Amino acid sequence: MSHPDPAAPPDLRPIEAGEVWENPVTRERAVMVEAPWWNAEGRAVAELTAYPGARVVGEHFHPTLTERFSVLEGELTVVRDGERSVVTAGETAEVLPGVWHDWWNEGTEDALVRVEITPGERFTHLIETLFGLAREGHVNAKGMPHPLQLALFTEEFADVAVFRRPPRAVQRAMSAALGPVA
C-alpha cells in the first residue's frame, strides 16, 4: 500500500464552487455548491450523485451538526434511529445531531441529492479526507479506512462523526494503541 509523501508540501488550494469530489468505493460523486465560509450560517452544500448501489461508509451520527438530504432525482433510502424511509424526488430527510443514520441508493437509477450540512466546515474536511483515502486505496470494500488510517481518522473527526462499527470503545482503543504508530 502506498502512502502520500509526508515531506511533500500540503495542498493549500482553496475549495472552489463546482469542485468535484468522488469516492470510487462508495460510489458517490459530490459537486461543491457552497463552502461553509461562503455564508453566515456556516453551511456546506453539495449536489451528490449516488450511483445505483452507492452507500455511505457506515451507520453513524453527528454530535453537533444537522444534515439535510433533498432528493432532486431518483430516490434515496435513509434510516434514522432504526426507522427506514425512501426519500423520492421533491422530498427531504433531515438528520438532527445525535441521531444514528445510514443511507444508500438501492434503486436502478442515479439519485441526485442536494446535501446541506450545518455547521459544515469540519464535515467538509472529513469528506475531503475520506474520499481521498478511498481514491488512494486506503479503505476496505465498504469504504472504511484501514486500521492505521481509521485510528487517526476516528480521533481527528470524533467531533464530526461517530461510526457505530467498530463500537466506540474499540475505536478509542484503536486510536490509543495505533495512533502513535500511524
Side-chain angles (χ1 to χ4, degrees), residues 69 71 74-89 91-95 99-107:
F69 300 95
V71 177
E75 61 184 41
L76 198 66
T77 300
V78 178
V79 175
R80 291 173 282 187
D81 277 343
E83 294 199 25
R84 177 184 167 133
S85 60
V86 176
V87 185
T88 60
E91 298 178 332
T92 297
E94 185 173 70
V95 181
V99 173
W100 287 105
H101 63 285
D102 197 357
W103 66 259
W104 59 91
N105 179 358
E106 63 188 358

Coordinates of all heavy atoms in Angstrom, one line a residue, residues 69 71 74-89 91-95 99-107:
F69 N -31.0 16.1 3.4 CA -31.0 15.5 2.1 C -32.2 15.8 1.4 O -33.3 15.4 1.8 CB -30.9 13.9 2.2 CG -29.7 13.4 3.0 CD1 -29.9 13.1 4.3 CD2 -28.5 13.1 2.3 CE1 -28.8 12.6 5.0 CE2 -27.5 12.6 3.1 CZ -27.6 12.3 4.4
V71 N -33.9 15.2 -2.2 CA -33.7 14.4 -3.4 C -34.3 15.2 -4.6 O -35.4 15.7 -4.6 CB -34.4 13.1 -3.2 CG1 -34.3 12.3 -4.5 CG2 -33.8 12.3 -2.1
G74 N -34.5 10.6 -8.7 CA -34.2 9.3 -8.2 C -34.8 9.2 -6.8 O -35.7 9.9 -6.4
E75 N -34.2 8.3 -6.0 CA -34.6 8.0 -4.6 C -33.4 7.6 -3.8 O -32.4 7.0 -4.3 CB -35.7 7.0 -4.6 CG -35.3 5.6 -5.1 CD -36.5 4.7 -5.1 OE1 -37.6 5.1 -5.5 OE2 -36.3 3.5 -4.8
L76 N -33.5 7.9 -2.5 CA -32.5 7.5 -1.5 C -33.2 6.9 -0.3 O -34.2 7.4 0.2 CB -31.8 8.8 -1.1 CG -30.5 8.7 -0.4 CD1 -29.4 8.2 -1.4 CD2 -30.1 10.1 0.2
T77 N -32.6 5.7 0.1 CA -33.2 5.1 1.3 C -32.4 5.6 2.5 O -31.1 5.6 2.4 CB -33.0 3.5 1.2 OG1 -33.7 3.1 0.0 CG2 -33.5 2.8 2.4
V78 N -33.1 6.1 3.5 CA -32.5 6.7 4.6 C -33.0 6.0 5.9 O -34.2 5.7 6.0 CB -32.8 8.2 4.7 CG1 -32.2 8.8 6.0 CG2 -32.4 8.9 3.5
V79 N -32.1 5.6 6.8 CA -32.5 5.0 8.1 C -32.1 6.0 9.2 O -30.9 6.4 9.2 CB -31.9 3.6 8.3 CG1 -32.2 3.1 9.7 CG2 -32.3 2.7 7.2
R80 N -33.1 6.4 10.0 CA -32.8 7.3 11.1 C -33.3 6.7 12.4 O -34.5 6.4 12.5 CB -33.5 8.7 10.9 CG -32.9 9.5 9.8 CD -33.8 10.7 9.5 NE -34.9 10.3 8.7 CZ -35.8 11.1 8.2 NH1 -35.7 12.4 8.4 NH2 -36.8 10.6 7.5
D81 N -32.4 6.4 13.3 CA -32.7 5.7 14.6 C -33.5 4.5 14.3 O -34.5 4.3 15.0 CB -33.4 6.7 15.5 CG -32.4 7.5 16.3 OD1 -31.2 7.2 16.3 OD2 -32.8 8.5 16.9
G82 N -33.1 3.7 13.3 CA -33.8 2.4 13.0 C -35.0 2.5 12.2 O -35.5 1.5 11.7
E83 N -35.5 3.7 11.9 CA -36.7 3.9 11.0 C -36.3 4.1 9.6 O -35.6 5.1 9.3 CB -37.6 5.0 11.6 CG -38.2 4.6 12.9 CD -39.4 5.4 13.3 OE1 -40.1 5.9 12.3 OE2 -39.6 5.6 14.5
R84 N -36.7 3.2 8.7 CA -36.4 3.3 7.3 C -37.4 4.1 6.5 O -38.6 3.9 6.7 CB -36.2 1.9 6.8 CG -35.9 1.7 5.3 CD -35.9 0.3 4.9 NE -35.9 0.1 3.5 CZ -35.2 -0.7 2.8 NH1 -34.3 -1.5 3.5 NH2 -35.2 -0.7 1.5
S85 N -36.9 4.9 5.6 CA -37.8 5.6 4.6 C -37.2 5.7 3.3 O -35.9 5.8 3.2 CB -38.2 7.0 5.2 OG -37.1 7.8 5.4
V86 N -38.0 5.8 2.3 CA -37.4 6.0 0.9 C -37.8 7.4 0.6 O -39.0 7.8 0.6 CB -38.0 5.0 -0.1 CG1 -37.5 5.3 -1.5 CG2 -37.6 3.6 0.3
V87 N -36.8 8.2 0.3 CA -37.0 9.7 0.0 C -36.9 9.8 -1.5 O -35.9 9.4 -2.1 CB -35.9 10.5 0.7 CG1 -36.2 12.0 0.5 CG2 -35.8 10.2 2.2
T88 N -38.0 10.3 -2.1 CA -38.1 10.4 -3.5 C -37.9 11.9 -4.0 O -38.0 12.8 -3.2 CB -39.4 9.8 -4.1 OG1 -40.5 10.5 -3.5 CG2 -39.5 8.3 -3.7
A89 N -37.9 12.1 -5.3 CA -37.7 13.5 -5.9 C -38.8 14.4 -5.3 O -40.0 14.1 -5.2 CB -37.8 13.4 -7.4
E91 N -38.8 15.4 -2.1 CA -38.8 15.1 -0.7 C -37.5 15.4 0.0 O -36.4 15.4 -0.6 CB -39.3 13.7 -0.3 CG -40.7 13.4 -0.9 CD -41.1 11.9 -0.6 OE1 -40.2 11.1 -0.5 OE2 -42.3 11.7 -0.5
T92 N -37.6 15.7 1.3 CA -36.4 16.0 2.1 C -36.3 15.1 3.4 O -37.4 14.9 4.0 CB -36.4 17.5 2.5 OG1 -36.3 18.2 1.3 CG2 -35.2 17.8 3.4
A93 N -35.2 14.7 3.8 CA -34.9 14.0 5.0 C -33.9 14.8 5.8 O -32.9 15.2 5.3 CB -34.4 12.6 4.8
E94 N -34.3 15.1 7.1 CA -33.4 15.8 7.9 C -32.9 14.9 9.0 O -33.6 14.1 9.6 CB -34.1 17.0 8.5 CG -33.2 17.9 9.4 CD -33.9 19.2 9.8 OE1 -34.8 19.1 10.7 OE2 -33.5 20.3 9.3
V95 N -31.6 15.0 9.3 CA -30.9 14.2 10.4 C -30.4 15.2 11.4 O -29.5 16.0 11.1 CB -29.8 13.3 9.8 CG1 -29.2 12.5 11.0 CG2 -30.4 12.4 8.7
V99 N -28.5 11.7 16.1 CA -29.3 10.6 15.5 C -28.5 9.7 14.7 O -27.8 10.1 13.7 CB -30.5 11.3 14.6 CG1 -31.3 10.2 13.9 CG2 -31.4 12.2 15.5
W100 N -28.6 8.4 15.0 CA -27.9 7.4 14.2 C -28.6 7.3 12.9 O -29.8 7.3 12.8 CB -28.0 6.0 14.9 CG -27.1 5.8 16.1 CD1 -27.5 5.8 17.4 CD2 -25.7 5.6 16.1 NE1 -26.5 5.7 18.2 CE2 -25.3 5.5 17.5 CE3 -24.7 5.6 15.1 CZ2 -24.0 5.4 17.9 CZ3 -23.4 5.4 15.5 CH2 -23.1 5.3 16.9
H101 N -27.8 7.3 11.8 CA -28.4 7.2 10.5 C -27.4 6.5 9.5 O -26.3 6.4 9.7 CB -28.8 8.6 10.0 CG -27.6 9.6 9.8 ND1 -27.0 10.2 10.9 CD2 -27.0 10.1 8.7 CE1 -26.0 11.0 10.5 NE2 -26.0 10.9 9.2
D102 N -28.1 6.1 8.4 CA -27.4 5.5 7.3 C -28.2 5.8 6.1 O -29.4 6.1 6.1 CB -27.4 3.9 7.6 CG -26.4 3.1 6.8 OD1 -25.7 3.7 6.0 OD2 -26.4 1.9 7.0
W103 N -27.6 5.7 4.9 CA -28.3 5.9 3.7 C -27.6 5.1 2.5 O -26.5 4.8 2.6 CB -28.5 7.4 3.3 CG -27.2 8.1 3.0 CD1 -26.5 8.9 3.8 CD2 -26.4 8.1 1.8 NE1 -25.3 9.4 3.2 CE2 -25.3 8.9 1.9 CE3 -26.6 7.4 0.6 CZ2 -24.4 9.0 0.9 CZ3 -25.7 7.6 -0.5 CH2 -24.6 8.4 -0.3
W104 N -28.4 4.9 1.5 CA -27.9 4.2 0.3 C -28.9 4.4 -0.8 O -30.0 4.8 -0.6 CB -27.7 2.7 0.6 CG -28.9 1.9 1.0 CD1 -29.7 1.3 0.2 CD2 -29.3 1.7 2.3 NE1 -30.7 0.7 1.0 CE2 -30.5 0.9 2.3 CE3 -28.9 2.2 3.6 CZ2 -31.2 0.6 3.4 CZ3 -29.6 1.8 4.7 CH2 -30.7 1.0 4.6
N105 N -28.4 4.1 -2.1 CA -29.3 4.1 -3.2 C -29.5 2.6 -3.7 O -28.6 2.0 -4.2 CB -28.6 4.9 -4.4 CG -29.5 4.9 -5.6 OD1 -30.5 4.3 -5.7 ND2 -29.0 5.6 -6.7
E106 N -30.7 2.1 -3.4 CA -31.0 0.8 -3.8 C -31.8 0.7 -5.1 O -32.2 -0.3 -5.5 CB -31.7 0.0 -2.7 CG -33.1 0.6 -2.3 CD -33.7 -0.1 -1.1 OE1 -33.0 -1.0 -0.5 OE2 -34.7 0.3 -0.6
G107 N -31.9 1.9 -5.7 CA -32.6 2.0 -7.0 C -31.8 1.6 -8.2 O -30.6 1.3 -8.0

